[in-house]
Amino acid sequence: MKSIRLLAGKERSLLRRHPWVFQGSVAKGRADAGETVRVEADDGKFLAWAAYSPESQIRLRAWSFDEHERIDAAFITRKVNAAVALRRRLGLPGEATSNGVRLVHGEADGLPGLVADRYGDLLSVQFLAVGTEKFKPQITDALLAATGCTRLYERSDSSMRGREGLPVVNGWLRGEGSTEVTVHEHGWQLKVDVAEGHKTGYYLDQRNNRALFAEWVQQLGCRSVLNCYSYTGGFSVAALKGGATEVISVDSSGAALARANEHVALNGFDAALHSTLDADVNTSLREYLKAGRRFDAIVLDPPKFAPTTAHAERAARAYKDLNRLALRLLNPGGLLFTFSCSGGINADLFHKIVAGAGMDAEVDGHILKRLEAAPDHPTTICFPEGEYLKGLVIVRR
Ligand code: SAH
């Protein structure tokens, strides 16, 4: 077993059970990609067992902080079983919730660099780090055994793979057949294509926020709804469920919008209640404003503008501008669901950005609720970096 020695003082984050060690913290030692290594402090004291990644800025990802642990197939199976068991305790998958579930959420489940989602009877998995790549057969077996599923699709086509020196992979790992599956979520159905869809196929993290949107649209009697960055129209279907009579889905992906139309039909709604706009959101909001259009409810769920804090400033300006436009487009009493999925922008900063947008728009509102990712995308006490999705429910005054 190879050892990697850290520079003096650089043991602190592992001692706090934070799972990452950056390149600049390593004093000496090398290993192969994905090899399990013993990480030790400057004085030789054991810190963690970790996967070594020779090409990544994140040089080490900790598997375990217990010196007696063996990082083998049994270890991987225990971690996968614990992750699946947690979801079961959360009622996922379940009739009342959904059969689209995040089963493994990387670091939060003690499996750094692994994302595994279940859509109905098939699994869609991203192996995002060399450590998970090395244990791919064991992870695959463990996921299939823990769920009883027989098909597993690999969606290792994230840009994170490149940073780990790994090639892009998109294809069946186990089983074969159609990559499309219909999942249910609360009271509606959605089609997911694990080969073509974003991420592993869908945005499961917004599941509970879509349900909440349906409730608030109904509670406040919203009629006209603008769903910005709609993707395949999850929030649009939720709006229709809540009784909206005019819903517009805006996205720059024509394929996603075609799916949004399919979802309206699939859930039994009249096609006349829904329209799509294949365009840039910011430009569209400006045009609506110029044309004097107003809406009873708006969703803003943009892509990640700031992956890290280094991009936060520019991203903050983009978020502020969007929120300013949306606040101005709301009818008095109207509802705004506004989100940021940028890891580089925390909940406090996001609130400040939206406050700035309100000042600029000269619009005030009541914050009814703060939102986050669904609980099958958990964060842990020791790894605050895992927190990414945050949102506000605002009612315009
Ligand atoms: N709210 C969705 C997920 C949104 S993901 C859901 O609940 O499923 C972000 C979406 O923004 C993607 O579908 C992407 O195609 C779209 N997008 C990215 N940049 C855009 C832009 N400038 N204008 C419009 N849509 C954009």
Side-chain angles (χ1 to χ4, degrees):
M1 182 69 63
K2 290 175 190 157
S3 289
I4 306 291
R5 171 93 41 121
L6 302 191
L7 292 166
K10 296 297 184 185
E11 70 283 357
R12 270 188 228 121
S13 76
L14 285 180
L15 287 174
R16 285 203 309 265
R17 301 201 158 216
H18 185 294
W20 295 350
V21 176
F22 286 90
Q23 174 194 9
S25 301
V26 174
K28 66 173 186 207
R30 276 196 70 81
D32 295 331
E35 198 176 339
T36 302
V37 293
R38 179 183 194 274
V39 188
E40 58 190 36
D42 180 52
D43 60 4
K45 204 175 114 242
F46 171 87
L47 294 169
W49 300 112
Y52 187 81
S53 183
E55 293 196 27
S56 174
Q57 290 283 342
I58 305 172
R59 192 55 40 104
L60 297 158
R61 284 182 166 85
W63 288 122
S64 170
F65 301 97
D66 176 358
E67 190 163 11
H68 305 293
E69 194 99 71
R70 277 189 54 170
I71 312 305
D72 53 14
F75 170 85
I76 295 287
T77 304
R78 281 198 302 278
K79 291 281 173 190
V80 167
N81 288 345
V84 173
L86 172 65
R87 276 62 179 182
R88 280 208 191 100
R89 295 188 70 199
L90 297 172
L92 288 162
E95 271 309 308
T97 47
S98 179
N99 61 349
V101 188
R102 168 133 317 171
L103 295 174
V104 178
H105 190 54
E107 280 71 1
D109 287 299
L111 291 163
L114 181 69
V115 169
D117 288 339
R118 176 175 186 165
Y119 298 104
D121 66 351
L122 69 86
L123 302 175
S124 182
V125 181
Q126 295 181 312
F127 298 89
L128 299 170
V130 287
T132 53
E133 180 78 6
K134 184 156 179 283
F135 282 108
K136 194 184 279 184
Q138 292 83 354
I139 290 169
T140 301
D141 287 343
L143 280 168
L144 292 171
T147 57
C149 294
T150 53
R151 297 193 301 154
L152 186 146
Y153 197 86
E154 180 176 5
R155 274 302 297 273
S156 300
D157 52 4
S158 152
S159 58
M160 270 177 79
R161 291 270 296 184
R163 275 176 258 144
E164 292 278 317
L166 294 168
V168 160
V169 183
N170 182 330
W172 287 110
L173 253 181
R174 295 290 167 82
E176 56 185 4
S178 171
T179 54
E180 194 175 284
V181 56
T182 302
V183 297
H184 71 83
E185 180 177 282
H186 312 294
W188 49 78
Q189 303 214 310
L190 300 161
K191 280 187 186 174
V192 175
D193 188 327
V194 295
E196 304 277 336
H198 291 182
K199 306 207 286 185
T200 63
Y202 195 53
Y203 294 91
L204 294 172
D205 51 358
Q206 289 282 30
R207 180 196 312 113
N208 292 355
N209 298 329
R210 285 187 285 265
L212 204 64
F213 188 60
E215 284 172 26
W216 278 108
V217 163
Q218 180 164 38
Q219 176 68 33
L220 301 178
C222 301
R223 298 276 159 193
S224 56
V225 175
L226 185 65
N227 180 10
C228 300
Y229 306 97
S230 65
Y231 188 46
T232 56
F235 278 102
S236 300
V237 171
L240 292 167
K241 272 279 174 192
T245 50
E246 186 199 358
V247 180
I248 307 177
S249 299
V250 189
D251 202 282
S252 55
S253 158
L257 291 174
R259 236 327 127 72
N261 278 326
E262 265 185 67
H263 283 156
V264 170
L266 177 67
N267 289 284
F269 295 108
D270 186 344
L273 301 179
H274 176 251
S275 59
T276 61
L277 183 60
D278 185 346
D280 171 62
V281 164
N282 192 297
T283 310
S284 308
L285 294 180
R286 282 168 202 281
E287 282 169 6
Y288 282 131
L289 207 54
K290 230 194 288 169
R293 276 280 340 229
R294 294 294 179 270
F295 296 92
D296 296 334
I298 299 178
V299 178
L300 285 180
D301 185 20
K304 210 188 293 171
F305 290 156
T308 68
T309 43
H311 309 79
E313 213 177 293
R314 224 182 70 208
R317 279 198 293 278
Y319 284 120
K320 185 175 164 189
D321 201 36
L322 281 173
N323 282 278
R324 177 182 65 83
L325 292 164
L327 285 167
R328 290 194 58 198
L329 279 167
L330 276 182
N331 283 319
L335 176 69
L336 177 64
F337 266 53
T338 181
F339 297 97
S340 161
C341 60
S342 293
I345 291 191
N346 65 28
D348 262 6
L349 177 55
F350 185 58
H351 188 163
K352 287 199 182 90
I353 292 167
V354 176
M359 297 283 278
D360 285 5
E362 297 183 33
V363 168
D364 203 356
H366 289 118
I367 296 178
L368 300 184
K369 201 170 167 58
R370 288 156 208 276
L371 303 175
E372 59 197 356
D376 47 336
H377 301 61
T379 45
T380 58
I381 296 170
C382 302
F383 186 62
E385 284 86 346
E387 191 163 20
Y388 67 105
L389 183 65
K390 74 260 356 160
L392 296 171
V393 179
I394 295 168
V395 166
R396 186 184 162 158
R397 286 170 76 169

